[in-house]
Short mmCIF file of all heavy atoms in Angstrom, two decimals:
data_model
loop_
_atom_site.label_atom_id
_atom_site.label_comp_id
_atom_site.label_asym_id
_atom_site.label_seq_id
_atom_site.Cartn_x
_atom_site.Cartn_y
_atom_site.Cartn_z
N THR A 406 -1.93 16.81 -2.22
CA THR A 406 -1.92 16.88 -3.69
C THR A 406 -2.70 15.74 -4.33
O THR A 406 -2.75 15.63 -5.55
CB THR A 406 -0.47 16.84 -4.23
OG1 THR A 406 0.14 15.60 -3.86
CG2 THR A 406 0.35 17.99 -3.69
N GLY A 407 -3.29 14.86 -3.50
CA GLY A 407 -4.10 13.76 -4.03
C GLY A 407 -3.35 12.45 -4.16
O GLY A 407 -3.93 11.44 -4.54
N LEU A 408 -2.05 12.48 -3.86
CA LEU A 408 -1.28 11.23 -3.87
C LEU A 408 -1.47 10.50 -2.54
O LEU A 408 -1.98 11.07 -1.58
CB LEU A 408 0.22 11.54 -4.08
CG LEU A 408 0.61 12.10 -5.45
CD1 LEU A 408 2.01 12.68 -5.41
CD2 LEU A 408 0.52 11.02 -6.52
N SER A 409 -1.02 9.25 -2.49
CA SER A 409 -1.08 8.51 -1.23
C SER A 409 -0.01 9.02 -0.29
O SER A 409 1.12 9.32 -0.70
CB SER A 409 -0.88 7.02 -1.51
OG SER A 409 -0.71 6.33 -0.29
N ALA A 410 -0.34 9.12 1.00
CA ALA A 410 0.62 9.57 2.00
C ALA A 410 1.85 8.66 2.05
O ALA A 410 2.96 9.11 2.37
CB ALA A 410 -0.04 9.62 3.38
N VAL A 411 1.66 7.36 1.72
CA VAL A 411 2.79 6.42 1.81
C VAL A 411 3.87 6.75 0.78
O VAL A 411 5.06 6.46 1.00
CB VAL A 411 2.34 4.95 1.66
CG1 VAL A 411 1.35 4.57 2.73
CG2 VAL A 411 1.77 4.67 0.28
N ILE A 412 3.49 7.36 -0.35
CA ILE A 412 4.48 7.76 -1.35
C ILE A 412 5.37 8.87 -0.78
O ILE A 412 6.60 8.85 -0.94
CB ILE A 412 3.79 8.24 -2.64
CG1 ILE A 412 3.01 7.08 -3.29
CG2 ILE A 412 4.79 8.82 -3.62
CD1 ILE A 412 3.87 5.90 -3.67
N GLY A 413 4.75 9.83 -0.09
CA GLY A 413 5.52 10.89 0.56
C GLY A 413 6.46 10.34 1.61
O GLY A 413 7.63 10.75 1.71
N ALA A 414 5.97 9.38 2.40
CA ALA A 414 6.81 8.77 3.44
C ALA A 414 7.98 8.00 2.83
O ALA A 414 9.10 8.04 3.35
CB ALA A 414 5.96 7.83 4.30
N PHE A 415 7.72 7.32 1.72
CA PHE A 415 8.77 6.57 1.03
C PHE A 415 9.89 7.50 0.56
O PHE A 415 11.08 7.24 0.78
CB PHE A 415 8.17 5.80 -0.14
CG PHE A 415 9.17 5.08 -1.00
CD1 PHE A 415 9.88 4.00 -0.50
CD2 PHE A 415 9.41 5.49 -2.30
CE1 PHE A 415 10.82 3.33 -1.29
CE2 PHE A 415 10.33 4.83 -3.10
CZ PHE A 415 11.04 3.75 -2.59
N PHE A 416 9.53 8.63 -0.06
CA PHE A 416 10.53 9.58 -0.53
C PHE A 416 11.25 10.26 0.64
O PHE A 416 12.43 10.61 0.53
CB PHE A 416 9.90 10.62 -1.45
CG PHE A 416 9.69 10.11 -2.85
CD1 PHE A 416 8.42 10.04 -3.40
CD2 PHE A 416 10.75 9.69 -3.63
CE1 PHE A 416 8.22 9.58 -4.69
CE2 PHE A 416 10.57 9.21 -4.92
CZ PHE A 416 9.29 9.16 -5.45
N ALA A 417 10.54 10.45 1.76
CA ALA A 417 11.19 11.00 2.95
C ALA A 417 12.28 10.05 3.44
O ALA A 417 13.37 10.49 3.83
CB ALA A 417 10.15 11.22 4.05
N GLY A 418 11.99 8.75 3.40
CA GLY A 418 12.99 7.75 3.79
C GLY A 418 14.21 7.80 2.88
O GLY A 418 15.36 7.72 3.35
N ILE A 419 13.96 7.94 1.56
CA ILE A 419 15.07 8.05 0.60
C ILE A 419 15.90 9.30 0.90
O ILE A 419 17.14 9.28 0.86
CB ILE A 419 14.54 8.08 -0.84
CG1 ILE A 419 14.00 6.70 -1.23
CG2 ILE A 419 15.61 8.53 -1.83
CD1 ILE A 419 13.36 6.64 -2.59
N ALA A 420 15.21 10.43 1.22
CA ALA A 420 15.91 11.69 1.50
C ALA A 420 16.83 11.55 2.72
O ALA A 420 18.00 11.94 2.68
CB ALA A 420 14.89 12.81 1.73
N VAL A 421 16.31 10.97 3.79
CA VAL A 421 17.11 10.80 5.02
C VAL A 421 18.24 9.79 4.78
O VAL A 421 19.33 9.92 5.33
CB VAL A 421 16.21 10.36 6.19
CG1 VAL A 421 17.04 10.04 7.42
CG2 VAL A 421 15.20 11.46 6.52
N ALA A 422 17.99 8.79 3.93
CA ALA A 422 19.02 7.77 3.65
C ALA A 422 20.24 8.35 2.95
O ALA A 422 21.33 7.76 3.01
CB ALA A 422 18.42 6.65 2.79
N GLN A 423 20.08 9.51 2.30
CA GLN A 423 21.22 10.13 1.61
C GLN A 423 22.10 10.94 2.56
O GLN A 423 23.13 11.47 2.15
CB GLN A 423 20.72 11.06 0.48
CG GLN A 423 19.77 10.42 -0.51
CD GLN A 423 20.21 9.04 -0.98
OE1 GLN A 423 21.31 8.87 -1.51
NE2 GLN A 423 19.35 8.05 -0.78
N THR A 424 21.71 11.04 3.82
CA THR A 424 22.51 11.77 4.81
C THR A 424 23.35 10.78 5.63
O THR A 424 23.12 9.57 5.59
CB THR A 424 21.61 12.57 5.77
OG1 THR A 424 20.90 11.66 6.64
CG2 THR A 424 20.59 13.41 5.00
N HIS A 425 24.30 11.33 6.39
CA HIS A 425 25.15 10.46 7.21
C HIS A 425 24.45 9.95 8.46
O HIS A 425 24.99 9.13 9.20
CB HIS A 425 26.42 11.23 7.63
CG HIS A 425 26.13 12.44 8.46
ND1 HIS A 425 25.79 13.66 7.91
CD2 HIS A 425 26.07 12.60 9.80
CE1 HIS A 425 25.55 14.53 8.88
NE2 HIS A 425 25.71 13.92 10.03
N ALA A 426 23.22 10.44 8.72
CA ALA A 426 22.49 10.05 9.93
C ALA A 426 21.60 8.83 9.71
O ALA A 426 20.82 8.46 10.59
CB ALA A 426 21.63 11.22 10.41
N LYS A 427 21.74 8.17 8.56
CA LYS A 427 20.86 7.06 8.20
C LYS A 427 20.80 5.99 9.29
O LYS A 427 19.72 5.57 9.72
CB LYS A 427 21.32 6.44 6.88
CG LYS A 427 20.54 5.20 6.49
CD LYS A 427 21.10 4.56 5.23
CE LYS A 427 20.39 3.24 4.93
NZ LYS A 427 20.90 2.59 3.73
N GLU A 428 21.96 5.52 9.75
CA GLU A 428 21.98 4.42 10.74
C GLU A 428 21.37 4.84 12.06
O GLU A 428 20.64 4.07 12.69
CB GLU A 428 23.42 3.94 10.94
CG GLU A 428 23.95 3.14 9.76
CD GLU A 428 25.32 2.55 10.04
OE1 GLU A 428 25.74 2.50 11.21
OE2 GLU A 428 25.98 2.14 9.07
N GLU A 429 21.65 6.07 12.51
CA GLU A 429 21.08 6.56 13.77
C GLU A 429 19.57 6.62 13.70
O GLU A 429 18.86 6.20 14.63
CB GLU A 429 21.65 7.95 14.09
CG GLU A 429 21.12 8.51 15.41
CD GLU A 429 21.54 9.95 15.65
OE1 GLU A 429 22.33 10.49 14.84
OE2 GLU A 429 21.06 10.54 16.63
N VAL A 430 19.05 7.11 12.57
CA VAL A 430 17.60 7.22 12.39
C VAL A 430 16.97 5.84 12.35
O VAL A 430 15.96 5.58 13.01
CB VAL A 430 17.28 8.01 11.10
CG1 VAL A 430 15.78 7.94 10.78
CG2 VAL A 430 17.73 9.45 11.23
N GLU A 431 17.58 4.93 11.58
CA GLU A 431 17.05 3.58 11.46
C GLU A 431 17.00 2.87 12.81
O GLU A 431 16.01 2.23 13.17
CB GLU A 431 17.91 2.78 10.49
CG GLU A 431 17.30 1.46 10.07
CD GLU A 431 18.09 0.80 8.94
OE1 GLU A 431 19.02 1.43 8.41
OE2 GLU A 431 17.75 -0.33 8.61
N THR A 432 18.06 3.03 13.60
CA THR A 432 18.14 2.39 14.92
C THR A 432 17.05 2.90 15.86
O THR A 432 16.51 2.13 16.66
CB THR A 432 19.53 2.64 15.54
OG1 THR A 432 20.52 2.14 14.65
CG2 THR A 432 19.66 1.94 16.88
N ASN A 433 16.73 4.19 15.75
CA ASN A 433 15.77 4.78 16.70
C ASN A 433 14.32 4.72 16.24
O ASN A 433 13.42 4.62 17.08
CB ASN A 433 16.15 6.25 16.97
CG ASN A 433 17.37 6.38 17.85
OD1 ASN A 433 17.28 6.30 19.06
ND2 ASN A 433 18.53 6.57 17.24
N ILE A 434 14.09 4.78 14.94
CA ILE A 434 12.70 4.80 14.44
C ILE A 434 12.12 3.40 14.29
O ILE A 434 10.94 3.17 14.53
CB ILE A 434 12.61 5.55 13.09
CG1 ILE A 434 13.13 6.98 13.23
CG2 ILE A 434 11.18 5.56 12.56
CD1 ILE A 434 12.38 7.82 14.23
N SER A 435 12.95 2.44 13.92
CA SER A 435 12.48 1.07 13.69
C SER A 435 11.70 0.50 14.89
O SER A 435 10.61 -0.05 14.70
CB SER A 435 13.66 0.17 13.32
OG SER A 435 13.22 -1.12 13.01
N PRO A 436 12.22 0.62 16.13
CA PRO A 436 11.45 0.07 17.27
C PRO A 436 10.10 0.76 17.46
O PRO A 436 9.12 0.10 17.84
CB PRO A 436 12.37 0.34 18.48
CG PRO A 436 13.73 0.51 17.90
CD PRO A 436 13.52 1.13 16.56
N ILE A 437 10.04 2.07 17.21
CA ILE A 437 8.76 2.79 17.36
C ILE A 437 7.72 2.20 16.41
O ILE A 437 6.58 1.92 16.78
CB ILE A 437 8.94 4.29 17.05
CG1 ILE A 437 9.89 4.94 18.05
CG2 ILE A 437 7.59 5.01 17.05
CD1 ILE A 437 10.25 6.37 17.70
N GLY A 438 8.14 2.00 15.15
CA GLY A 438 7.21 1.48 14.15
C GLY A 438 6.83 0.05 14.39
O GLY A 438 5.63 -0.29 14.52
N TYR A 439 7.83 -0.84 14.49
CA TYR A 439 7.56 -2.27 14.52
C TYR A 439 7.04 -2.77 15.86
O TYR A 439 6.42 -3.83 15.93
CB TYR A 439 8.81 -3.04 14.09
CG TYR A 439 9.09 -2.87 12.63
CD1 TYR A 439 10.14 -2.07 12.20
CD2 TYR A 439 8.26 -3.44 11.66
CE1 TYR A 439 10.38 -1.87 10.85
CE2 TYR A 439 8.49 -3.24 10.32
CZ TYR A 439 9.54 -2.45 9.92
OH TYR A 439 9.76 -2.25 8.58
N ALA A 440 7.29 -2.01 16.93
CA ALA A 440 6.78 -2.44 18.23
C ALA A 440 5.37 -1.95 18.50
O ALA A 440 4.67 -2.50 19.35
CB ALA A 440 7.71 -1.94 19.35
N PHE A 441 4.93 -0.93 17.77
CA PHE A 441 3.63 -0.35 18.11
C PHE A 441 2.74 -0.06 16.90
O PHE A 441 1.69 -0.67 16.73
CB PHE A 441 3.85 0.95 18.91
CG PHE A 441 2.59 1.52 19.51
CD1 PHE A 441 2.03 0.99 20.65
CD2 PHE A 441 1.94 2.59 18.89
CE1 PHE A 441 0.86 1.51 21.19
CE2 PHE A 441 0.77 3.11 19.42
CZ PHE A 441 0.23 2.57 20.58
N PHE A 442 3.17 0.86 16.03
CA PHE A 442 2.26 1.35 14.99
C PHE A 442 2.03 0.38 13.84
O PHE A 442 0.92 0.25 13.34
CB PHE A 442 2.78 2.69 14.44
CG PHE A 442 2.64 3.83 15.40
CD1 PHE A 442 3.75 4.37 16.04
CD2 PHE A 442 1.39 4.38 15.69
CE1 PHE A 442 3.63 5.42 16.93
CE2 PHE A 442 1.25 5.42 16.58
CZ PHE A 442 2.37 5.95 17.20
N VAL A 443 3.08 -0.31 13.38
CA VAL A 443 2.94 -1.20 12.22
C VAL A 443 1.96 -2.36 12.50
O VAL A 443 1.12 -2.66 11.66
CB VAL A 443 4.32 -1.71 11.74
CG1 VAL A 443 4.17 -2.76 10.66
CG2 VAL A 443 5.16 -0.54 11.21
N PRO A 444 2.04 -3.04 13.69
CA PRO A 444 1.03 -4.08 13.97
C PRO A 444 -0.40 -3.54 13.94
O PRO A 444 -1.32 -4.24 13.48
CB PRO A 444 1.40 -4.55 15.38
CG PRO A 444 2.85 -4.25 15.52
CD PRO A 444 3.07 -2.98 14.75
N ILE A 445 -0.60 -2.30 14.40
CA ILE A 445 -1.94 -1.71 14.37
C ILE A 445 -2.41 -1.57 12.92
O ILE A 445 -3.58 -1.83 12.60
CB ILE A 445 -1.95 -0.34 15.08
CG1 ILE A 445 -1.67 -0.52 16.57
CG2 ILE A 445 -3.30 0.37 14.89
CD1 ILE A 445 -1.52 0.78 17.33
N PHE A 446 -1.49 -1.17 12.02
CA PHE A 446 -1.86 -1.04 10.60
C PHE A 446 -2.32 -2.37 10.03
O PHE A 446 -3.37 -2.45 9.39
CB PHE A 446 -0.67 -0.49 9.79
CG PHE A 446 -0.82 -0.74 8.31
CD1 PHE A 446 -1.84 -0.13 7.59
CD2 PHE A 446 0.05 -1.59 7.65
CE1 PHE A 446 -1.98 -0.36 6.23
CE2 PHE A 446 -0.10 -1.83 6.29
CZ PHE A 446 -1.11 -1.21 5.58
N PHE A 447 -1.54 -3.44 10.24
CA PHE A 447 -1.90 -4.74 9.66
C PHE A 447 -3.22 -5.26 10.22
O PHE A 447 -4.05 -5.80 9.49
CB PHE A 447 -0.78 -5.75 9.91
CG PHE A 447 0.45 -5.50 9.09
CD1 PHE A 447 1.70 -5.49 9.67
CD2 PHE A 447 0.37 -5.27 7.73
CE1 PHE A 447 2.85 -5.24 8.92
CE2 PHE A 447 1.50 -5.03 6.97
CZ PHE A 447 2.74 -5.00 7.57
N VAL A 448 -3.44 -5.06 11.51
CA VAL A 448 -4.71 -5.50 12.12
C VAL A 448 -5.87 -4.68 11.56
O VAL A 448 -6.95 -5.21 11.30
CB VAL A 448 -4.64 -5.37 13.66
CG1 VAL A 448 -6.02 -5.54 14.29
CG2 VAL A 448 -3.69 -6.43 14.23
N SER A 449 -5.66 -3.38 11.35
CA SER A 449 -6.74 -2.53 10.85
C SER A 449 -7.22 -2.97 9.47
O SER A 449 -8.39 -2.82 9.13
CB SER A 449 -6.30 -1.06 10.81
OG SER A 449 -5.39 -0.84 9.74
N VAL A 450 -6.31 -3.54 8.65
CA VAL A 450 -6.72 -4.06 7.34
C VAL A 450 -7.67 -5.23 7.53
O VAL A 450 -8.73 -5.32 6.89
CB VAL A 450 -5.48 -4.50 6.51
CG1 VAL A 450 -5.91 -5.17 5.21
CG2 VAL A 450 -4.58 -3.31 6.22
N GLY A 451 -7.35 -6.13 8.46
CA GLY A 451 -8.22 -7.27 8.75
C GLY A 451 -9.55 -6.87 9.35
O GLY A 451 -10.57 -7.55 9.13
N LEU A 452 -9.58 -5.74 10.08
CA LEU A 452 -10.82 -5.29 10.71
C LEU A 452 -11.88 -4.88 9.68
O LEU A 452 -13.07 -4.83 10.00
CB LEU A 452 -10.54 -4.08 11.63
CG LEU A 452 -9.77 -4.34 12.93
CD1 LEU A 452 -9.58 -3.05 13.70
CD2 LEU A 452 -10.47 -5.37 13.81
N GLU A 453 -11.45 -4.59 8.45
CA GLU A 453 -12.41 -4.18 7.42
C GLU A 453 -13.23 -5.36 6.88
O GLU A 453 -14.22 -5.16 6.18
CB GLU A 453 -11.66 -3.51 6.25
CG GLU A 453 -10.91 -2.24 6.62
CD GLU A 453 -11.83 -1.10 6.98
OE1 GLU A 453 -12.99 -1.10 6.54
OE2 GLU A 453 -11.39 -0.20 7.71
N MET A 454 -12.79 -6.57 7.17
CA MET A 454 -13.46 -7.77 6.63
C MET A 454 -14.84 -7.95 7.28
O MET A 454 -15.00 -7.77 8.49
CB MET A 454 -12.59 -8.99 6.93
CG MET A 454 -13.08 -10.27 6.32
SD MET A 454 -12.73 -10.31 4.56
CE MET A 454 -11.89 -11.86 4.42
N ARG A 455 -15.83 -8.28 6.45
CA ARG A 455 -17.18 -8.57 6.93
C ARG A 455 -17.67 -9.83 6.22
O ARG A 455 -17.29 -10.10 5.08
CB ARG A 455 -18.15 -7.43 6.61
CG ARG A 455 -17.82 -6.10 7.24
CD ARG A 455 -18.10 -6.07 8.73
NE ARG A 455 -18.04 -4.71 9.26
CZ ARG A 455 -16.93 -4.05 9.51
NH1 ARG A 455 -15.77 -4.59 9.24
NH2 ARG A 455 -16.95 -2.83 10.01
N PHE A 456 -18.54 -10.58 6.89
CA PHE A 456 -19.12 -11.77 6.28
C PHE A 456 -20.63 -11.65 6.18
O PHE A 456 -21.34 -12.65 6.10
CB PHE A 456 -18.75 -13.02 7.10
CG PHE A 456 -17.28 -13.36 7.05
CD1 PHE A 456 -16.55 -13.52 8.21
CD2 PHE A 456 -16.64 -13.53 5.84
CE1 PHE A 456 -15.20 -13.85 8.17
CE2 PHE A 456 -15.29 -13.85 5.79
CZ PHE A 456 -14.57 -14.01 6.95
#
Side-chain angles (χ1 to χ4, degrees):
T406 62
L408 292 166
S409 170
V411 300
I412 296 300
F415 175 67
F416 281 119
I419 289 175
V421 174
Q423 306 316 303
T424 70
H425 61 276
K427 175 184 174 180
E428 287 186 15
E429 181 187 355
V430 171
E431 192 171 353
T432 303
N433 286 278
I434 302 300
S435 184
I437 297 173
Y439 290 106
F441 189 78
F442 289 107
V443 173
I445 294 174
F446 162 65
F447 289 131
V448 168
S449 74
V450 175
L452 290 180
E453 298 292 336
M454 186 76 127
R455 298 287 192 283
F456 292 126

